[in-house]
Amino acid sequence: MKKILAATVLGLSLGLSAQAFAEPVKVGMITTLSGGGAGLGIDVRDGFMLAVKNAGASDLEVVIEDDAQKPEIAVQLADKMIQSDKVDILTGIIWSNLAMAVVPSVTAQGKFYLSPNAGPSPLAGAQCHENYFNVAWQNDNLHEAMGAYANDAGYKKTFIMAPNYPAGTDALAGFKRFFTGELAGEVYTQLGQTDYAAEIAQIRASGADSMFFFLPGGMGIAFMKQYAQSDVGIPAMGPAFSFSQDILGAVGEAALGVKNSSQWNKDIDNEANKKFVETFQAEYGRLPSLYASQGYDTANLIISAMGKASVSDADAFRAALKAAEFASVRGDFKFGNNNHPIQDIYVREVVKEGDVITNKIVATAFEDHQDAYAAQCGM
């Protein structure tokens, strides 16, 4: 069922003043709110709407729809939002196969698309577009950081695994780009898979000294529980998607000590991040995940552009987006030539703080890291 949320001037209740915008902006959010990937979409949505509330952005209207993690539904919703709802900007897609189905059509129709998550390599390279901005990362980035970490940790023979869809292939490509050791095995699983007995048997028999996996949402929960019960005995590592706050409660203590990579964590020390973590907990009663942080930054980027230009002046609004003059929860934030972030990426460790399983930053993997596909972008 469609939900239409018109943001009201609630920022005053938080001691904030409403910003004067050039003109109203209508955003269409297509995200995953049902099924095994729902937690990711819910966090993006909640982070986005919190930023709107905190800013008192009464001239920003958000139309929210559930794509059910199906490309054909996402395409239909995008067309409806553009043609019937008359949105100015689209956002929200979690999964890269859905992004590849939707984004080229959106930008071809002259609309802006701001990705709060999916970052498939073609859209960063040869298929980049001036109206497409990725506010999260390019798919390979966090996996590249774990490839570099595996070298630093002294691993020589790593088994790698990811789902068989665009983000999965980008993930393993990113890890291999920086890992200098030997691969003990490389396996692609089914998207949405929940039984990993066969893959765990392959890991056990591979002679690996470590294993890297990218399995977001419910896939990661299922795998980590089964992996912990298997007593394979070699350290696991992965990107933040496999150890995000939204799934750590379900994984439990099996995740403790695991290293993972992220461009954000709740302990990044800046005022914007402190406010985000505090107000997210107060609003929703849970710690935010990196998905929530990406939704929050995406909304704040839009709000910053609204304060500088009219969305009906595409060139001016595009320039305002590109300038990225907003207080990111990540601290320093800037776009590269292909409208993807150039940013620091950290190594985190899963720890227990009181009764809560969460992450803390233990190292910086990359500073001012740009994706490998920017050179293929003609912008």
Side-chain angles (χ1 to χ4, degrees):
M1 172 182 254
K2 179 172 76 174
K3 299 179 183 177
I4 300 180
L5 301 179
T8 56
V9 185
L10 297 172
L12 294 175
S13 66
L14 297 176
L16 302 172
S17 60
Q19 187 175 353
F21 303 115
E23 68 174 25
V25 170
K26 195 170 187 179
V27 174
M29 178 179 287
I30 301 167
T31 196
T32 303
L33 301 174
S34 60
L40 288 63
I42 289 168
D43 273 10
V44 163
R45 178 200 65 191
D46 288 354
F48 190 100
M49 296 311 299
L50 178 66
V52 175
K53 177 178 178 177
N54 283 354
S58 59
D59 287 345
L60 179 58
E61 180 182 356
V62 187
V63 180
I64 302 175
E65 296 269 18
D66 178 14
D67 59 36
Q69 205 175 326
K70 296 179 179 178
E72 64 276 13
I73 293 178
V75 170
Q76 292 169 4
L77 290 173
D79 289 342
K80 182 187 75 68
M81 285 183 172
I82 293 170
Q83 295 160 19
S84 300
D85 296 326
K86 305 298 182 184
V87 301
D88 303 296
I89 300 168
L90 284 97
T91 189
I93 290 176
I94 300 298
W95 306 92
S96 289
N97 54 331
L98 275 67
M100 289 303 301
V102 169
V103 172
S105 174
V106 168
T107 55
Q109 294 179 70
K111 300 298 181 180
F112 291 99
Y113 188 91
L114 276 64
S115 177
N117 196 67
S121 52
L123 299 182
Q127 295 182 44
C128 66
H129 193 281
E130 62 180 1
N131 284 351
Y132 171 72
F133 291 81
N134 190 298
V135 194
W137 23 255
Q138 190 279 317
N139 280 349
D140 300 28
N141 291 167
L142 303 193
H143 315 289
E144 291 171 335
M146 290 315 293
Y149 165 77
N151 297 330
D152 293 341
Y155 298 140
K156 304 297 184 184
K157 191 175 181 181
T158 300
F159 190 101
I160 63 176
M161 183 172 70
N164 189 16
Y165 79 120
T169 55
D170 284 347
L172 299 193
F175 183 88
K176 291 186 290 185
R177 186 172 293 119
F178 281 83
F179 181 56
T180 58
E182 176 186 351
L183 292 183
E186 179 175 355
V187 169
Y188 287 98
T189 64
Q190 293 298 309
L191 189 62
Q193 182 173 326
T194 56
D195 182 354
Y196 294 94
E199 289 80 7
I200 290 171
Q202 287 180 268
I203 295 167
R204 188 191 302 276
S206 69
D209 63 7
S210 53
M211 70 88 51
F212 166 85
F213 74 100
F214 162 58
L215 292 168
M219 294 180 287
I221 295 171
F223 175 76
M224 272 308 296
K225 285 184 172 181
Q226 294 166 37
Y227 187 75
Q229 293 168 0
S230 72
D231 295 324
V232 170
I234 62 172
M237 56 185 161
F241 321 120
S242 301
F243 301 95
S244 183
Q245 195 64 49
D246 58 302
I247 68 172
L248 282 178
V251 174
E253 296 193 358
L256 290 176
V258 173
K259 303 297 195 299
N260 63 95
S261 53
S262 182
Q263 84 286 11
W264 173 84
N265 200 53
K266 63 182 176 59
D267 56 356
I268 293 177
D269 189 11
N270 64 63
E271 288 305 313
N273 196 43
K274 290 176 183 177
K275 176 183 174 182
F276 164 61
V277 174
E278 178 182 345
T279 57
F280 191 95
Q281 284 186 278
E283 184 75 12
Y284 302 114
R286 65 185 192 274
L287 284 173
S289 67
L290 86 159
Y291 304 106
S293 78
Q294 292 161 188
Y296 190 83
D297 269 0
T298 300
N300 278 322
L301 173 62
I302 294 171
I303 292 166
S304 72
M306 289 171 65
K308 297 173 67 177
S310 167
V311 74
S312 61
D313 184 343
D315 290 340
F317 198 80
R318 186 182 303 113
L321 290 172
K322 185 81 169 186
E325 293 178 349
F326 72 102
S328 170
V329 296
R330 285 165 261 181
D332 293 338
F333 183 101
K334 62 183 176 181
F335 285 115
N337 65 293
N338 60 350
N339 294 345
H340 282 63
I342 297 175
Q343 61 189 337
D344 295 347
I345 301 177
Y346 306 98
V347 177
R348 311 186 304 181
E349 181 178 349
V350 180
V351 298
K352 197 168 187 179
E353 296 178 354
D355 294 330
V356 178
I357 297 175
T358 187
N359 286 284
K360 70 174 182 180
I361 292 174
V362 295
T364 300
F366 295 133
E367 293 183 355
D368 293 330
H369 186 63
Q370 186 170 29
D371 64 90
Y373 305 96
Q376 300 172 23
C377 174
M379 292 195 296

